[in-house]
PDB file of all heavy atoms in Angstrom:
ATOM      1  N   LYS A  44     -99.832  54.522 -15.897  1.00  0.00           N
ATOM      2  CA  LYS A  44    -100.568  53.279 -15.692  1.00  0.00           C
ATOM      3  C   LYS A  44    -101.021  52.682 -17.019  1.00  0.00           C
ATOM      4  O   LYS A  44    -101.080  51.461 -17.163  1.00  0.00           O
ATOM      5  CB  LYS A  44    -101.767  53.522 -14.792  1.00  0.00           C
ATOM      6  CG  LYS A  44    -101.402  53.834 -13.370  1.00  0.00           C
ATOM      7  CD  LYS A  44    -102.642  54.058 -12.539  1.00  0.00           C
ATOM      8  CE  LYS A  44    -102.256  54.431 -11.130  1.00  0.00           C
ATOM      9  NZ  LYS A  44    -103.434  54.698 -10.298  1.00  0.00           N
ATOM     10  N   ILE A  45    -101.325  53.528 -17.983  1.00  0.00           N
ATOM     11  CA  ILE A  45    -101.768  53.037 -19.288  1.00  0.00           C
ATOM     12  C   ILE A  45    -100.614  52.336 -20.003  1.00  0.00           C
ATOM     13  O   ILE A  45    -100.824  51.325 -20.678  1.00  0.00           O
ATOM     14  CB  ILE A  45    -102.365  54.183 -20.139  1.00  0.00           C
ATOM     15  CG1 ILE A  45    -103.107  53.623 -21.349  1.00  0.00           C
ATOM     16  CG2 ILE A  45    -101.311  55.146 -20.597  1.00  0.00           C
ATOM     17  CD1 ILE A  45    -104.439  53.069 -21.039  1.00  0.00           C
ATOM     18  N   HIS A  46     -99.365  52.829 -19.815  1.00  0.00           N
ATOM     19  CA  HIS A  46     -98.211  52.166 -20.405  1.00  0.00           C
ATOM     20  C   HIS A  46     -98.004  50.783 -19.791  1.00  0.00           C
ATOM     21  O   HIS A  46     -97.712  49.816 -20.497  1.00  0.00           O
ATOM     22  CB  HIS A  46     -96.949  53.015 -20.222  1.00  0.00           C
ATOM     23  CG  HIS A  46     -96.946  54.240 -21.048  1.00  0.00           C
ATOM     24  ND1 HIS A  46     -97.121  55.480 -20.505  1.00  0.00           N
ATOM     25  CD2 HIS A  46     -96.811  54.422 -22.380  1.00  0.00           C
ATOM     26  CE1 HIS A  46     -97.082  56.383 -21.457  1.00  0.00           C
ATOM     27  NE2 HIS A  46     -96.898  55.759 -22.627  1.00  0.00           N
ATOM     28  N   LEU A  47     -98.136  50.689 -18.500  1.00  0.00           N
ATOM     29  CA  LEU A  47     -98.011  49.407 -17.819  1.00  0.00           C
ATOM     30  C   LEU A  47     -99.096  48.439 -18.283  1.00  0.00           C
ATOM     31  O   LEU A  47     -98.826  47.259 -18.530  1.00  0.00           O
ATOM     32  CB  LEU A  47     -98.085  49.612 -16.303  1.00  0.00           C
ATOM     33  CG  LEU A  47     -97.945  48.350 -15.461  1.00  0.00           C
ATOM     34  CD1 LEU A  47     -96.585  47.716 -15.682  1.00  0.00           C
ATOM     35  CD2 LEU A  47     -98.150  48.689 -13.997  1.00  0.00           C
ATOM     36  N   PHE A  48    -100.297  48.931 -18.433  1.00  0.00           N
ATOM     37  CA  PHE A  48    -101.397  48.099 -18.909  1.00  0.00           C
ATOM     38  C   PHE A  48    -101.101  47.540 -20.300  1.00  0.00           C
ATOM     39  O   PHE A  48    -101.265  46.351 -20.560  1.00  0.00           O
ATOM     40  CB  PHE A  48    -102.700  48.907 -18.928  1.00  0.00           C
ATOM     41  CG  PHE A  48    -103.829  48.190 -19.591  1.00  0.00           C
ATOM     42  CD1 PHE A  48    -104.466  47.145 -18.945  1.00  0.00           C
ATOM     43  CD2 PHE A  48    -104.243  48.555 -20.863  1.00  0.00           C
ATOM     44  CE1 PHE A  48    -105.510  46.472 -19.558  1.00  0.00           C
ATOM     45  CE2 PHE A  48    -105.284  47.893 -21.479  1.00  0.00           C
ATOM     46  CZ  PHE A  48    -105.920  46.839 -20.824  1.00  0.00           C
ATOM     47  N   PHE A  49    -100.631  48.396 -21.218  1.00  0.00           N
ATOM     48  CA  PHE A  49    -100.330  47.928 -22.569  1.00  0.00           C
ATOM     49  C   PHE A  49     -99.133  46.989 -22.600  1.00  0.00           C
ATOM     50  O   PHE A  49     -99.093  46.050 -23.387  1.00  0.00           O
ATOM     51  CB  PHE A  49    -100.115  49.107 -23.514  1.00  0.00           C
ATOM     52  CG  PHE A  49    -101.397  49.738 -23.963  1.00  0.00           C
ATOM     53  CD1 PHE A  49    -101.666  51.067 -23.702  1.00  0.00           C
ATOM     54  CD2 PHE A  49    -102.355  48.988 -24.637  1.00  0.00           C
ATOM     55  CE1 PHE A  49    -102.846  51.648 -24.110  1.00  0.00           C
ATOM     56  CE2 PHE A  49    -103.539  49.559 -25.044  1.00  0.00           C
ATOM     57  CZ  PHE A  49    -103.795  50.891 -24.778  1.00  0.00           C
ATOM     58  N   PHE A  50     -98.157  47.201 -21.729  1.00  0.00           N
ATOM     59  CA  PHE A  50     -97.012  46.294 -21.661  1.00  0.00           C
ATOM     60  C   PHE A  50     -97.448  44.912 -21.208  1.00  0.00           C
ATOM     61  O   PHE A  50     -97.051  43.901 -21.793  1.00  0.00           O
ATOM     62  CB  PHE A  50     -95.942  46.858 -20.717  1.00  0.00           C
ATOM     63  CG  PHE A  50     -94.804  45.918 -20.514  1.00  0.00           C
ATOM     64  CD1 PHE A  50     -93.862  45.745 -21.511  1.00  0.00           C
ATOM     65  CD2 PHE A  50     -94.679  45.196 -19.345  1.00  0.00           C
ATOM     66  CE1 PHE A  50     -92.798  44.869 -21.342  1.00  0.00           C
ATOM     67  CE2 PHE A  50     -93.634  44.319 -19.166  1.00  0.00           C
ATOM     68  CZ  PHE A  50     -92.692  44.164 -20.166  1.00  0.00           C
ATOM     69  N   ILE A  51     -98.268  44.849 -20.174  1.00  0.00           N
ATOM     70  CA  ILE A  51     -98.771  43.562 -19.681  1.00  0.00           C
ATOM     71  C   ILE A  51     -99.644  42.893 -20.741  1.00  0.00           C
ATOM     72  O   ILE A  51     -99.553  41.685 -20.968  1.00  0.00           O
ATOM     73  CB  ILE A  51     -99.525  43.757 -18.354  1.00  0.00           C
ATOM     74  CG1 ILE A  51     -98.542  44.190 -17.263  1.00  0.00           C
ATOM     75  CG2 ILE A  51    -100.263  42.494 -17.957  1.00  0.00           C
ATOM     76  CD1 ILE A  51     -99.189  44.616 -15.979  1.00  0.00           C
ATOM     77  N   LEU A  52    -100.452  43.666 -21.412  1.00  0.00           N
ATOM     78  CA  LEU A  52    -101.288  43.126 -22.484  1.00  0.00           C
ATOM     79  C   LEU A  52    -100.433  42.581 -23.621  1.00  0.00           C
ATOM     80  O   LEU A  52    -100.674  41.475 -24.123  1.00  0.00           O
ATOM     81  CB  LEU A  52    -102.232  44.215 -22.996  1.00  0.00           C
ATOM     82  CG  LEU A  52    -103.208  43.789 -24.092  1.00  0.00           C
ATOM     83  CD1 LEU A  52    -104.194  42.776 -23.528  1.00  0.00           C
ATOM     84  CD2 LEU A  52    -103.929  45.000 -24.639  1.00  0.00           C
ATOM     85  N   LEU A  53     -99.413  43.325 -24.025  1.00  0.00           N
ATOM     86  CA  LEU A  53     -98.523  42.874 -25.089  1.00  0.00           C
ATOM     87  C   LEU A  53     -97.773  41.616 -24.682  1.00  0.00           C
ATOM     88  O   LEU A  53     -97.631  40.679 -25.465  1.00  0.00           O
ATOM     89  CB  LEU A  53     -97.526  43.984 -25.443  1.00  0.00           C
ATOM     90  CG  LEU A  53     -96.533  43.662 -26.553  1.00  0.00           C
ATOM     91  CD1 LEU A  53     -97.266  43.552 -27.885  1.00  0.00           C
ATOM     92  CD2 LEU A  53     -95.457  44.724 -26.624  1.00  0.00           C
ATOM     93  N   PHE A  54     -97.299  41.564 -23.460  1.00  0.00           N
ATOM     94  CA  PHE A  54     -96.599  40.382 -22.956  1.00  0.00           C
ATOM     95  C   PHE A  54     -97.525  39.172 -22.955  1.00  0.00           C
ATOM     96  O   PHE A  54     -97.145  38.084 -23.364  1.00  0.00           O
ATOM     97  CB  PHE A  54     -96.076  40.657 -21.541  1.00  0.00           C
ATOM     98  CG  PHE A  54     -95.301  39.515 -20.964  1.00  0.00           C
ATOM     99  CD1 PHE A  54     -93.996  39.303 -21.352  1.00  0.00           C
ATOM    100  CD2 PHE A  54     -95.875  38.666 -20.039  1.00  0.00           C
ATOM    101  CE1 PHE A  54     -93.261  38.262 -20.824  1.00  0.00           C
ATOM    102  CE2 PHE A  54     -95.168  37.623 -19.507  1.00  0.00           C
ATOM    103  CZ  PHE A  54     -93.855  37.417 -19.893  1.00  0.00           C
ATOM    104  N   GLY A  55     -98.733  39.361 -22.497  1.00  0.00           N
ATOM    105  CA  GLY A  55     -99.700  38.261 -22.440  1.00  0.00           C
ATOM    106  C   GLY A  55    -100.132  37.773 -23.805  1.00  0.00           C
ATOM    107  O   GLY A  55    -100.463  36.598 -23.979  1.00  0.00           O
ATOM    108  N   VAL A  56    -100.126  38.645 -24.793  1.00  0.00           N
ATOM    109  CA  VAL A  56    -100.574  38.261 -26.133  1.00  0.00           C
ATOM    110  C   VAL A  56     -99.441  37.628 -26.946  1.00  0.00           C
ATOM    111  O   VAL A  56     -99.692  36.754 -27.765  1.00  0.00           O
ATOM    112  CB  VAL A  56    -101.141  39.505 -26.863  1.00  0.00           C
ATOM    113  CG1 VAL A  56    -101.392  39.232 -28.325  1.00  0.00           C
ATOM    114  CG2 VAL A  56    -102.422  39.957 -26.196  1.00  0.00           C
ATOM    115  N   THR A  57     -98.188  38.025 -26.721  1.00  0.00           N
ATOM    116  CA  THR A  57     -97.091  37.539 -27.562  1.00  0.00           C
ATOM    117  C   THR A  57     -96.246  36.454 -26.904  1.00  0.00           C
ATOM    118  O   THR A  57     -96.063  35.380 -27.458  1.00  0.00           O
ATOM    119  CB  THR A  57     -96.178  38.705 -27.973  1.00  0.00           C
ATOM    120  OG1 THR A  57     -95.686  39.338 -26.792  1.00  0.00           O
ATOM    121  CG2 THR A  57     -96.911  39.693 -28.830  1.00  0.00           C
ATOM    122  N   ILE A  58     -95.721  36.689 -25.745  1.00  0.00           N
ATOM    123  CA  ILE A  58     -94.740  35.795 -25.129  1.00  0.00           C
ATOM    124  C   ILE A  58     -95.387  34.539 -24.548  1.00  0.00           C
ATOM    125  O   ILE A  58     -94.922  33.428 -24.805  1.00  0.00           O
ATOM    126  CB  ILE A  58     -93.955  36.527 -24.021  1.00  0.00           C
ATOM    127  CG1 ILE A  58     -93.299  37.792 -24.567  1.00  0.00           C
ATOM    128  CG2 ILE A  58     -92.942  35.608 -23.376  1.00  0.00           C
ATOM    129  CD1 ILE A  58     -92.260  37.543 -25.635  1.00  0.00           C
ATOM    130  N   LEU A  59     -96.429  34.696 -23.792  1.00  0.00           N
ATOM    131  CA  LEU A  59     -97.022  33.535 -23.122  1.00  0.00           C
ATOM    132  C   LEU A  59     -97.585  32.493 -24.086  1.00  0.00           C
ATOM    133  O   LEU A  59     -97.345  31.303 -23.898  1.00  0.00           O
ATOM    134  CB  LEU A  59     -98.082  33.997 -22.118  1.00  0.00           C
ATOM    135  CG  LEU A  59     -97.530  34.814 -20.944  1.00  0.00           C
ATOM    136  CD1 LEU A  59     -98.673  35.264 -20.053  1.00  0.00           C
ATOM    137  CD2 LEU A  59     -96.520  34.018 -20.160  1.00  0.00           C
ATOM    138  N   PRO A  60     -98.307  32.856 -25.149  1.00  0.00           N
ATOM    139  CA  PRO A  60     -98.767  31.824 -26.077  1.00  0.00           C
ATOM    140  C   PRO A  60     -97.615  31.120 -26.803  1.00  0.00           C
ATOM    141  O   PRO A  60     -97.685  29.929 -27.063  1.00  0.00           O
ATOM    142  CB  PRO A  60     -99.633  32.581 -27.071  1.00  0.00           C
ATOM    143  CG  PRO A  60    -100.060  33.802 -26.365  1.00  0.00           C
ATOM    144  CD  PRO A  60     -98.931  34.145 -25.455  1.00  0.00           C
ATOM    145  N   ALA A  61     -96.550  31.845 -27.114  1.00  0.00           N
ATOM    146  CA  ALA A  61     -95.407  31.216 -27.778  1.00  0.00           C
ATOM    147  C   ALA A  61     -94.732  30.223 -26.853  1.00  0.00           C
ATOM    148  O   ALA A  61     -94.288  29.158 -27.280  1.00  0.00           O
ATOM    149  CB  ALA A  61     -94.415  32.283 -28.222  1.00  0.00           C
ATOM    150  N   ARG A  62     -94.684  30.526 -25.580  1.00  0.00           N
ATOM    151  CA  ARG A  62     -94.072  29.616 -24.624  1.00  0.00           C
ATOM    152  C   ARG A  62     -94.900  28.344 -24.474  1.00  0.00           C
ATOM    153  O   ARG A  62     -94.357  27.257 -24.339  1.00  0.00           O
ATOM    154  CB  ARG A  62     -93.941  30.317 -23.289  1.00  0.00           C
ATOM    155  CG  ARG A  62     -93.222  29.506 -22.247  1.00  0.00           C
ATOM    156  CD  ARG A  62     -93.420  30.129 -20.901  1.00  0.00           C
ATOM    157  NE  ARG A  62     -92.189  30.622 -20.360  1.00  0.00           N
ATOM    158  CZ  ARG A  62     -92.117  31.364 -19.296  1.00  0.00           C
ATOM    159  NH1 ARG A  62     -93.219  31.754 -18.697  1.00  0.00           N
ATOM    160  NH2 ARG A  62     -90.965  31.746 -18.817  1.00  0.00           N
ATOM    161  N   LYS A  63     -96.205  28.464 -24.507  1.00  0.00           N
ATOM    162  CA  LYS A  63     -97.075  27.292 -24.403  1.00  0.00           C
ATOM    163  C   LYS A  63     -97.056  26.462 -25.677  1.00  0.00           C
ATOM    164  O   LYS A  63     -97.146  25.244 -25.634  1.00  0.00           O
ATOM    165  CB  LYS A  63     -98.502  27.728 -24.095  1.00  0.00           C
ATOM    166  CG  LYS A  63     -98.679  28.300 -22.714  1.00  0.00           C
ATOM    167  CD  LYS A  63    -100.093  28.791 -22.509  1.00  0.00           C
ATOM    168  CE  LYS A  63    -100.216  29.517 -21.189  1.00  0.00           C
ATOM    169  NZ  LYS A  63    -101.543  30.115 -21.021  1.00  0.00           N
ATOM    170  N   LYS A  64     -96.930  27.120 -26.811  1.00  0.00           N
ATOM    171  CA  LYS A  64     -96.983  26.418 -28.092  1.00  0.00           C
ATOM    172  C   LYS A  64     -95.668  25.705 -28.410  1.00  0.00           C
ATOM    173  O   LYS A  64     -95.672  24.637 -29.002  1.00  0.00           O
ATOM    174  CB  LYS A  64     -97.319  27.416 -29.202  1.00  0.00           C
ATOM    175  CG  LYS A  64     -97.654  26.769 -30.514  1.00  0.00           C
ATOM    176  CD  LYS A  64     -98.159  27.789 -31.501  1.00  0.00           C
ATOM    177  CE  LYS A  64     -98.557  27.141 -32.802  1.00  0.00           C
ATOM    178  NZ  LYS A  64     -99.014  28.124 -33.781  1.00  0.00           N
ATOM    179  N   PHE A  65     -94.534  26.300 -28.036  1.00  0.00           N
ATOM    180  CA  PHE A  65     -93.223  25.729 -28.326  1.00  0.00           C
ATOM    181  C   PHE A  65     -92.405  25.582 -27.040  1.00  0.00           C
ATOM    182  O   PHE A  65     -91.450  26.309 -26.818  1.00  0.00           O
ATOM    183  CB  PHE A  65     -92.452  26.615 -29.308  1.00  0.00           C
ATOM    184  CG  PHE A  65     -93.166  26.838 -30.601  1.00  0.00           C
ATOM    185  CD1 PHE A  65     -93.746  28.060 -30.886  1.00  0.00           C
ATOM    186  CD2 PHE A  65     -93.266  25.829 -31.531  1.00  0.00           C
ATOM    187  CE1 PHE A  65     -94.399  28.274 -32.077  1.00  0.00           C
ATOM    188  CE2 PHE A  65     -93.919  26.025 -32.728  1.00  0.00           C
ATOM    189  CZ  PHE A  65     -94.489  27.247 -33.008  1.00  0.00           C
ATOM    190  N   PRO A  66     -92.727  24.625 -26.173  1.00  0.00           N
ATOM    191  CA  PRO A  66     -91.988  24.502 -24.906  1.00  0.00           C
ATOM    192  C   PRO A  66     -90.588  23.955 -25.088  1.00  0.00           C
ATOM    193  O   PRO A  66     -89.748  24.083 -24.210  1.00  0.00           O
ATOM    194  CB  PRO A  66     -92.850  23.539 -24.100  1.00  0.00           C
ATOM    195  CG  PRO A  66     -93.552  22.726 -25.122  1.00  0.00           C
ATOM    196  CD  PRO A  66     -93.795  23.654 -26.278  1.00  0.00           C
ATOM    197  N   GLN A  67     -90.294  23.325 -26.225  1.00  0.00           N
ATOM    198  CA  GLN A  67     -88.989  22.714 -26.410  1.00  0.00           C
ATOM    199  C   GLN A  67     -87.878  23.737 -26.624  1.00  0.00           C
ATOM    200  O   GLN A  67     -86.717  23.444 -26.403  1.00  0.00           O
ATOM    201  CB  GLN A  67     -89.002  21.717 -27.566  1.00  0.00           C
ATOM    202  CG  GLN A  67     -89.242  22.323 -28.931  1.00  0.00           C
ATOM    203  CD  GLN A  67     -90.700  22.404 -29.307  1.00  0.00           C
ATOM    204  OE1 GLN A  67     -91.582  22.361 -28.468  1.00  0.00           O
ATOM    205  NE2 GLN A  67     -90.971  22.524 -30.597  1.00  0.00           N
ATOM    206  N   TYR A  68     -88.216  24.939 -27.064  1.00  0.00           N
ATOM    207  CA  TYR A  68     -87.189  25.944 -27.280  1.00  0.00           C
ATOM    208  C   TYR A  68     -86.788  26.586 -25.968  1.00  0.00           C
ATOM    209  O   TYR A  68     -87.609  26.991 -25.183  1.00  0.00           O
ATOM    210  CB  TYR A  68     -87.677  27.017 -28.254  1.00  0.00           C
ATOM    211  CG  TYR A  68     -87.908  26.485 -29.636  1.00  0.00           C
ATOM    212  CD1 TYR A  68     -89.186  26.368 -30.148  1.00  0.00           C
ATOM    213  CD2 TYR A  68     -86.851  26.073 -30.413  1.00  0.00           C
ATOM    214  CE1 TYR A  68     -89.409  25.875 -31.413  1.00  0.00           C
ATOM    215  CE2 TYR A  68     -87.055  25.574 -31.670  1.00  0.00           C
ATOM    216  CZ  TYR A  68     -88.330  25.480 -32.175  1.00  0.00           C
ATOM    217  OH  TYR A  68     -88.537  24.982 -33.413  1.00  0.00           O
ATOM    218  N   GLY A  69     -85.492  26.667 -25.744  1.00  0.00           N
ATOM    219  CA  GLY A  69     -84.991  27.282 -24.531  1.00  0.00           C
ATOM    220  C   GLY A  69     -84.883  26.342 -23.355  1.00  0.00           C
ATOM    221  O   GLY A  69     -84.384  26.712 -22.317  1.00  0.00           O
ATOM    222  N   SER A  70     -85.296  25.098 -23.494  1.00  0.00           N
ATOM    223  CA  SER A  70     -85.235  24.166 -22.380  1.00  0.00           C
ATOM    224  C   SER A  70     -84.331  22.978 -22.674  1.00  0.00           C
ATOM    225  O   SER A  70     -84.400  21.976 -22.003  1.00  0.00           O
ATOM    226  CB  SER A  70     -86.639  23.666 -22.042  1.00  0.00           C
ATOM    227  OG  SER A  70     -87.173  22.956 -23.142  1.00  0.00           O
ATOM    228  N   VAL A  71     -83.462  23.074 -23.679  1.00  0.00           N
ATOM    229  CA  VAL A  71     -82.577  21.982 -24.040  1.00  0.00           C
ATOM    230  C   VAL A  71     -81.283  22.105 -23.250  1.00  0.00           C
ATOM    231  O   VAL A  71     -80.625  23.144 -23.276  1.00  0.00           O
ATOM    232  CB  VAL A  71     -82.273  21.995 -25.557  1.00  0.00           C
ATOM    233  CG1 VAL A  71     -81.290  20.904 -25.912  1.00  0.00           C
ATOM    234  CG2 VAL A  71     -83.549  21.830 -26.341  1.00  0.00           C
ATOM    235  N   ASP A  72     -80.923  21.053 -22.529  1.00  0.00           N
ATOM    236  CA  ASP A  72     -79.660  21.012 -21.793  1.00  0.00           C
ATOM    237  C   ASP A  72     -78.630  20.354 -22.700  1.00  0.00           C
ATOM    238  O   ASP A  72     -78.614  19.133 -22.850  1.00  0.00           O
ATOM    239  CB  ASP A  72     -79.841  20.242 -20.501  1.00  0.00           C
ATOM    240  CG  ASP A  72     -78.615  20.286 -19.622  1.00  0.00           C
ATOM    241  OD1 ASP A  72     -77.654  21.003 -19.971  1.00  0.00           O
ATOM    242  OD2 ASP A  72     -78.607  19.607 -18.587  1.00  0.00           O
ATOM    243  N   MET A  73     -77.790  21.160 -23.332  1.00  0.00           N
ATOM    244  CA  MET A  73     -76.836  20.631 -24.304  1.00  0.00           C
ATOM    245  C   MET A  73     -75.796  19.726 -23.667  1.00  0.00           C
ATOM    246  O   MET A  73     -75.316  18.797 -24.286  1.00  0.00           O
ATOM    247  CB  MET A  73     -76.146  21.785 -25.038  1.00  0.00           C
ATOM    248  CG  MET A  73     -77.066  22.559 -25.941  1.00  0.00           C
ATOM    249  SD  MET A  73     -77.849  21.533 -27.199  1.00  0.00           S
ATOM    250  CE  MET A  73     -76.469  21.188 -28.255  1.00  0.00           C
ATOM    251  N   ARG A  74     -75.456  19.968 -22.413  1.00  0.00           N
ATOM    252  CA  ARG A  74     -74.480  19.096 -21.736  1.00  0.00           C
ATOM    253  C   ARG A  74     -75.049  17.695 -21.554  1.00  0.00           C
ATOM    254  O   ARG A  74     -74.378  16.705 -21.810  1.00  0.00           O
ATOM    255  CB  ARG A  74     -74.094  19.700 -20.400  1.00  0.00           C
ATOM    256  CG  ARG A  74     -73.082  18.879 -19.674  1.00  0.00           C
ATOM    257  CD  ARG A  74     -72.675  19.522 -18.363  1.00  0.00           C
ATOM    258  NE  ARG A  74     -71.374  19.016 -18.025  1.00  0.00           N
ATOM    259  CZ  ARG A  74     -70.435  19.708 -17.477  1.00  0.00           C
ATOM    260  NH1 ARG A  74     -70.631  20.959 -17.189  1.00  0.00           N
ATOM    261  NH2 ARG A  74     -69.281  19.167 -17.195  1.00  0.00           N
ATOM    262  N   ARG A  75     -76.298  17.619 -21.153  1.00  0.00           N
ATOM    263  CA  ARG A  75     -76.932  16.311 -20.966  1.00  0.00           C
ATOM    264  C   ARG A  75     -77.102  15.600 -22.304  1.00  0.00           C
ATOM    265  O   ARG A  75     -76.887  14.392 -22.406  1.00  0.00           O
ATOM    266  CB  ARG A  75     -78.281  16.478 -20.271  1.00  0.00           C
ATOM    267  CG  ARG A  75     -78.955  15.167 -19.982  1.00  0.00           C
ATOM    268  CD  ARG A  75     -80.197  15.302 -19.151  1.00  0.00           C
ATOM    269  NE  ARG A  75     -81.024  16.410 -19.598  1.00  0.00           N
ATOM    270  CZ  ARG A  75     -81.839  17.093 -18.815  1.00  0.00           C
ATOM    271  NH1 ARG A  75     -81.923  16.787 -17.548  1.00  0.00           N
ATOM    272  NH2 ARG A  75     -82.561  18.077 -19.289  1.00  0.00           N
ATOM    273  N   GLU A  76     -77.452  16.346 -23.347  1.00  0.00           N
ATOM    274  CA  GLU A  76     -77.588  15.744 -24.669  1.00  0.00           C
ATOM    275  C   GLU A  76     -76.240  15.234 -25.186  1.00  0.00           C
ATOM    276  O   GLU A  76     -76.182  14.198 -25.844  1.00  0.00           O
ATOM    277  CB  GLU A  76     -78.167  16.757 -25.657  1.00  0.00           C
ATOM    278  CG  GLU A  76     -79.589  17.169 -25.334  1.00  0.00           C
ATOM    279  CD  GLU A  76     -80.579  16.028 -25.456  1.00  0.00           C
ATOM    280  OE1 GLU A  76     -80.407  15.175 -26.346  1.00  0.00           O
ATOM    281  OE2 GLU A  76     -81.512  15.984 -24.646  1.00  0.00           O
ATOM    282  N   CYS A  77     -75.175  15.938 -24.883  1.00  0.00           N
ATOM    283  CA  CYS A  77     -73.842  15.507 -25.302  1.00  0.00           C
ATOM    284  C   CYS A  77     -73.451  14.212 -24.599  1.00  0.00           C
ATOM    285  O   CYS A  77     -72.966  13.281 -25.237  1.00  0.00           O
ATOM    286  CB  CYS A  77     -72.826  16.598 -25.001  1.00  0.00           C
ATOM    287  SG  CYS A  77     -71.139  16.191 -25.472  1.00  0.00           S
ATOM    288  N   VAL A  78     -73.669  14.146 -23.295  1.00  0.00           N
ATOM    289  CA  VAL A  78     -73.320  12.941 -22.536  1.00  0.00           C
ATOM    290  C   VAL A  78     -74.199  11.773 -22.948  1.00  0.00           C
ATOM    291  O   VAL A  78     -73.735  10.632 -23.039  1.00  0.00           O
ATOM    292  CB  VAL A  78     -73.417  13.224 -21.019  1.00  0.00           C
ATOM    293  CG1 VAL A  78     -73.255  11.963 -20.212  1.00  0.00           C
ATOM    294  CG2 VAL A  78     -72.375  14.254 -20.621  1.00  0.00           C
ATOM    295  N   LYS A  79     -75.470  12.041 -23.258  1.00  0.00           N
ATOM    296  CA  LYS A  79     -76.372  10.980 -23.694  1.00  0.00           C
ATOM    297  C   LYS A  79     -75.926  10.392 -25.032  1.00  0.00           C
ATOM    298  O   LYS A  79     -76.144   9.223 -25.298  1.00  0.00           O
ATOM    299  CB  LYS A  79     -77.799  11.519 -23.800  1.00  0.00           C
ATOM    300  CG  LYS A  79     -78.828  10.422 -23.927  1.00  0.00           C
ATOM    301  CD  LYS A  79     -80.278  10.813 -23.783  1.00  0.00           C
ATOM    302  CE  LYS A  79     -80.720  12.183 -24.024  1.00  0.00           C
ATOM    303  NZ  LYS A  79     -82.180  12.341 -23.997  1.00  0.00           N
ATOM    304  N   GLY A  80     -75.283  11.188 -25.861  1.00  0.00           N
ATOM    305  CA  GLY A  80     -74.772  10.725 -27.150  1.00  0.00           C
ATOM    306  C   GLY A  80     -73.341  10.214 -27.067  1.00  0.00           C
ATOM    307  O   GLY A  80     -72.631  10.195 -28.061  1.00  0.00           O
ATOM    308  N   ASN A  81     -72.885   9.825 -25.871  1.00  0.00           N
ATOM    309  CA  ASN A  81     -71.530   9.313 -25.617  1.00  0.00           C
ATOM    310  C   ASN A  81     -70.453  10.333 -25.942  1.00  0.00           C
ATOM    311  O   ASN A  81     -69.381   9.994 -26.429  1.00  0.00           O
ATOM    312  CB  ASN A  81     -71.272   8.007 -26.382  1.00  0.00           C
ATOM    313  CG  ASN A  81     -72.105   6.875 -25.846  1.00  0.00           C
ATOM    314  OD1 ASN A  81     -72.451   6.857 -24.680  1.00  0.00           O
ATOM    315  ND2 ASN A  81     -72.444   5.940 -26.710  1.00  0.00           N
ATOM    316  N   GLY A  82     -70.724  11.592 -25.693  1.00  0.00           N
ATOM    317  CA  GLY A  82     -69.747  12.651 -25.900  1.00  0.00           C
ATOM    318  C   GLY A  82     -69.248  13.188 -24.573  1.00  0.00           C
ATOM    319  O   GLY A  82     -69.735  12.821 -23.505  1.00  0.00           O
ATOM    320  N   ARG A  83     -68.247  14.049 -24.638  1.00  0.00           N
ATOM    321  CA  ARG A  83     -67.714  14.700 -23.452  1.00  0.00           C
ATOM    322  C   ARG A  83     -67.543  16.177 -23.739  1.00  0.00           C
ATOM    323  O   ARG A  83     -67.125  16.558 -24.831  1.00  0.00           O
ATOM    324  CB  ARG A  83     -66.360  14.097 -23.078  1.00  0.00           C
ATOM    325  CG  ARG A  83     -66.488  12.660 -22.620  1.00  0.00           C
ATOM    326  CD  ARG A  83     -65.155  12.053 -22.288  1.00  0.00           C
ATOM    327  NE  ARG A  83     -64.472  12.840 -21.278  1.00  0.00           N
ATOM    328  CZ  ARG A  83     -63.201  12.678 -20.955  1.00  0.00           C
ATOM    329  NH1 ARG A  83     -62.487  11.769 -21.574  1.00  0.00           N
ATOM    330  NH2 ARG A  83     -62.639  13.429 -20.034  1.00  0.00           N
ATOM    331  N   CYS A  84     -67.843  17.003 -22.765  1.00  0.00           N
ATOM    332  CA  CYS A  84     -67.688  18.451 -22.911  1.00  0.00           C
ATOM    333  C   CYS A  84     -66.261  18.834 -22.531  1.00  0.00           C
ATOM    334  O   CYS A  84     -65.811  18.575 -21.418  1.00  0.00           O
ATOM    335  CB  CYS A  84     -68.676  19.179 -22.019  1.00  0.00           C
ATOM    336  SG  CYS A  84     -70.381  18.942 -22.510  1.00  0.00           S
ATOM    337  N   LYS A  85     -65.556  19.438 -23.482  1.00  0.00           N
ATOM    338  CA  LYS A  85     -64.167  19.846 -23.268  1.00  0.00           C
ATOM    339  C   LYS A  85     -63.949  21.217 -23.895  1.00  0.00           C
ATOM    340  O   LYS A  85     -64.755  21.688 -24.670  1.00  0.00           O
ATOM    341  CB  LYS A  85     -63.211  18.859 -23.942  1.00  0.00           C
ATOM    342  CG  LYS A  85     -63.285  17.446 -23.463  1.00  0.00           C
ATOM    343  CD  LYS A  85     -62.248  16.653 -24.229  1.00  0.00           C
ATOM    344  CE  LYS A  85     -62.363  15.184 -23.995  1.00  0.00           C
ATOM    345  NZ  LYS A  85     -61.384  14.450 -24.805  1.00  0.00           N
TER     346      LYS A  85
END
């Protein structure tokens, strides 16, 4: 149980704040960006 507690604590301290601070990373749809720039995916 202590390992699970530290894992949840580590996850809450590292991953969640980074996700809130930098939401643009990991959420870019490259296909939509290509079509928006008059490109085609081939």
Side-chain angles (χ1 to χ4, degrees):
K44 291 180 183 178
I45 193 77
H46 290 108
L47 181 62
F48 171 75
F49 282 120
F50 175 75
I51 293 171
L52 182 66
L53 180 68
F54 182 78
V56 170
T57 58
I58 304 297
L59 295 178
R62 184 193 245 170
K63 291 176 187 175
K64 191 172 183 182
F65 302 107
Q67 65 270 20
Y68 294 110
S70 63
V71 177
D72 186 5
M73 292 302 289
R74 181 178 204 142
R75 183 173 44 208
E76 294 295 325
C77 180
V78 172
K79 193 169 23 173
N81 292 331
R83 293 178 57 192
C84 293
K85 300 181 189 177

